[in-house]
Structure formats: C-alpha cells, structure tokens
DNA sequence: AATGTTATATCATAAAGTGATATAACATTT
DNA sequence: AAATGTTATATCACTTTATGATATAACATT
C-alpha cells in the first residue's frame, strides 16, 4: 500500500474534514465555509472521492450513519496519510516563500 | 482575468520554482530535490504546464534564454497569484491540523 | 399537498497529468 | 572525429481526476 502518495487538493480538503465524523454534505459545506468560497467541491467530486477513499481505506463509514446521512471518518492509515501530506505541503510553502523573499529584494 | 483560482500542486511547484529565472529542466530537478522525490514532475507535465502559464501570463520567457535553454520567470501577476495560493494553502493546513489535534485526544 | 432544504448519487464531459518516445545540442571519452 | 552520455525541449496517446448537470428522495415548513 502506498501510504505517502501526494494527495490532490480536493482529496486533502475532504480528508481534513473527516478528522472527526461528518457526513458528505457537511464536508462540502465545511470546505466552502473554511475557504470562504475559494474552493468549492461539488457533489460529483465529493462522492467520487469518497468512494475512492473508502476503497483505499483512508476513511470508513461511521456507526452514526443512517440511511439518509452517511457519516464517514478517517482511519489510522488515513490519518497518517494526511499527516504525511501536511508535511509535504509545508515544504511546498517554505519553498515558495523562500523564493518570493529572494525575488522581492530587487 | 481570474487571479485567485486555486493552483494545482503541479502548477504551484512550477510557479514556486520560477520566483527566480530558471529553465524547464532545472525546475524539474529542483522539485524532485526539494521534495526528496516525493513529487516528480515529468517532462510531459512540465512543458504542458509551462505552455499554459505562458498563455495566462503568469510567467514570461527571460532574456537569458538561448535556443537550447529556455529560461522562464514569474510575472507580477504570477507572483500575486502564487502569494494568494500560499495563503489558501496555509488555511488548508491549519484546517487539517486543528482537526487532527481534536481527533487525537482520545 | 406544495415548496424548500438537505442529502446522496451518477452520467457525460472536460480538465489535468503522465509514460513513452522523439529529437537535438553539448560534454566527455576514446 | 565518432561514439556515448547528459542535458534539454517537445509531443502523442492515454489515464486519471474533476465537474456541471441532472436525478432522486427524505425531511421540514408553510
């Protein structure tokens, strides 16, 4: 199993929303609110990615689920994967910021 | 012109590499080195994205270019776009870290 | 019972990313 | 100076990822 594959932004947002149990629609709303509308995940993307995350066992269905609201939550593997990707993203940002600092002297 | 569209990871890496003048191949190597191989941008992705960035005027060809090495650098618009995306990415990471903190108490 | 909101789901298509491959200039060796 | 290796750009055909539009239905409110 490939634990440390880079996550796409959409996947990252969804996984970051599922550190605690949440149903799909709530994930969608949370991302939109948190990013003040800068990043919107529509239903097509959401449910496609949820299906993929279940398959890879990065999330599981939570017992609070009923037939109407399907609640998901990160697994340990999912959590580890998210942590690894956070680290990667921090390096990304550092890289960009260092470059911008250097470049903006002139 | 849409200044603040979310940048994909690949686009972000390439733009972050071009805060100072660099030719394509060097961008490729830099990303691989900086991420210790976690993120690899192959030639197909690289030149596809460079073409797109030129078109959107996020980068321009630099005068140091010769027929062999084509050197690119961020424009002001490109720089602003990168800065905006850094901000978005910081919010992303905060969101994920807050969630992980809460979740890891139990 | 009609209307609006919440919620999940899929289809067809578009956008993004990539492995393989091609081409060629330059550098180094023999 | 021919051969080999490295640097460097480029594109094709294909896969993966993302999404707009749409469908369905339960629940809430009027």
């Amino acid at each position: 199993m490939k634990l440390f594959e880079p996550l796409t932004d959409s996947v990252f947002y969804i996984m970051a929303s599922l550190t605690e149990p949440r149903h799909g629609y709530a994930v969608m709303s949370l991302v939109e609110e948190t990013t003040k509308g800068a990043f919107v995940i529509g239903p097509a993307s959401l449910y496609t990615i949820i299906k993929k995350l279940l398959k890879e066992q990065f999330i599981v269905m939570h017992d609070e689920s009923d037939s109407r609201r399907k609640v998901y939550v990160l697994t340990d593997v999912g959590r580890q994967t998210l942590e690894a990707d956070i680290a990667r993203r921090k390096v990304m940002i550092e890289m960009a910021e260092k470059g911008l600092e250097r470049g903006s002297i002139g």
Side-chain angles (χ1 to χ4, degrees), chain A:
Chain A
M1 199 185 298
K2 297 170 210 161
L3 270 184
F4 299 108
E5 267 189 315
L7 308 177
T8 66
D9 285 359
S10 298
V11 171
F12 184 96
Y13 276 122
I14 292 173
M15 286 179 69
S17 304
L18 292 176
T19 50
E20 46 196 89
R22 248 193 204 89
H23 61 90
Y25 198 86
V27 169
M28 227 161 61
S29 315
L30 180 67
V31 171
E32 193 164 354
E33 278 166 39
T34 310
T35 65
K36 287 166 194 163
F39 205 97
V40 176
I41 299 176
S45 306
L46 180 79
Y47 294 108
T48 305
I49 291 169
I50 281 178
K51 205 184 283 177
K52 191 195 143 203
L53 291 176
L54 281 170
K55 198 174 156 196
E56 297 191 23
Q57 291 182 280
F58 288 172
I59 62 172
V60 282
M61 206 177 281
H62 196 252
D63 9 296
E64 284 165 29
S65 299
D66 54 52
S67 60
R68 183 162 151 67
R69 296 182 168 192
K70 295 193 183 167
V71 177
Y72 305 97
V73 69
L74 277 189
T75 60
D76 282 344
V77 174
R79 174 178 292 272
Q80 284 161 38
T81 304
L82 182 60
E83 276 164 2
D85 210 65
I86 288 171
R88 179 183 68 88
R89 283 167 185 277
K90 283 183 175 172
V91 174
M92 271 176 98
I93 289 173
E94 270 169 46
M95 179 188 171
E97 283 186 331
K98 272 181 197 164
L100 285 169
E101 275 168 44
R102 256 196 304 277
S104 63
I105 294 164

